Amino acid sequence: MRPADLASEHGISTQAVRNYEQSGFIPPAERTPSGYRVYTEVHAAALRAFIALIPAFGHARAGQIMNAVHADDLDDVLLTVDRAHEQLLRDRETLDAVSRAVHDLTDFEPSLEPRTIGELARRLDVTPATLRAWEDAGILTPDRESTGYRVFRAEDVRDAELAHLLRRGGYPLARIALVVQQIRTAGGTETLTAALADWRRRLTAQGLAMLAASARLNDYLTTSPHGGPNRTRPTKHS
């Protein structure tokens, strides 16, 4: 196969194919005596896997997965995939919790103990600076102790979970602040409902993309010399 043969299947340029090869996303091509690249079905399977991984895991993580495959580090491949599924599950759980909060604003973890900024940051896997930025944007309104330290109560945690969810959905801070304000005041929830429905569609699309990407990746592992369903490797720490 020529670079153009691989490129035409996905509607990309031949330069993109060469760039993917240079970045290690597909295996190195053989060369003719005159220096032209020659690709095989193995390269085509690698490109199909990489292209399928992008909508499922993002461009950077898709590249990491393919690089790990070509480094024969299947443990790292599976760990990256597992972490993405874990994040998707957390997104779904948070979305469900926030959706319930739309109908009953007092039902979002009412027994939750107050959290410090560090504890809430660890819960969400963000930095304290991020939470301070959300406070500056009007998304969070924590109380202050006599010492001046912030105290995040159950409602603040609910707002932070909502902000975290919508940020991953690509929403700007100003829009998130408006949505959170609607939750606080129990006013109209049309904007919030639309945002949650849109994010649910995104999660569904990502889940389906993960299924498709897993099938393509398995096809490549089966046809390439870098792994397969019956191949096992020792862990990095063994």
Side-chain angles (χ1 to χ4, degrees), residues 75-91:
D75 285 339
D76 192 49
V77 171
L78 296 176
L79 182 61
T80 301
V81 171
D82 290 344
R83 283 175 174 165
H85 281 283
E86 182 182 31
Q87 182 63 65
L88 182 62
L89 176 61
R90 178 172 173 80
D91 285 351

Side-chain angles (χ1 to χ4, degrees), residues 74-185:
L74 294 184
D75 285 339
D76 192 49
V77 171
L78 296 176
L79 182 61
T80 301
V81 171
D82 290 344
R83 283 175 174 165
H85 281 283
E86 182 182 31
Q87 182 63 65
L88 182 62
L89 176 61
R90 178 172 173 80
D91 285 351
R92 288 188 180 281
E93 291 173 342
T94 303
L95 175 60
D96 289 339
V98 174
S99 296
R100 289 193 300 270
V102 174
H103 303 288
D104 186 357
L105 300 181
T106 63
D107 193 35
F108 191 88
E109 300 194 63
S111 62
L112 192 69
E113 292 295 324
R115 302 291 183 99
T116 66
I117 191 169
E119 290 170 339
L120 182 55
R122 286 190 293 273
R123 173 187 174 92
L124 299 178
D125 194 24
V126 300
T127 65
T130 296
L131 296 180
R132 288 192 288 268
W134 292 355
E135 182 180 357
D136 292 340
I139 296 171
L140 301 179
T141 56
D143 291 335
R144 298 272 185 160
E145 294 181 330
S146 58
T147 57
Y149 289 106
R150 296 171 177 82
V151 178
F152 295 86
R153 307 193 185 281
E155 294 78 5
D156 302 311
V157 175
R158 176 203 65 205
D159 295 344
E161 291 275 12
L162 174 58
H164 195 212
L165 174 73
L166 294 178
R167 283 298 284 167
R168 289 198 296 272
Y171 292 91
L173 293 181
R175 185 174 178 186
I176 295 174
L178 175 62
V179 169
V180 170
Q181 182 62 30
Q182 289 181 334
I183 283 284
R184 289 201 198 106
T185 60

Side-chain angles (χ1 to χ4, degrees), residues 3-4 6-8 10-20 47:
L6 269 66
S8 63
H10 304 284
I12 60 178
S13 67
T14 56
Q15 184 59 50
V17 174
R18 291 190 287 268
N19 291 342
Y20 294 159
L47 184 57

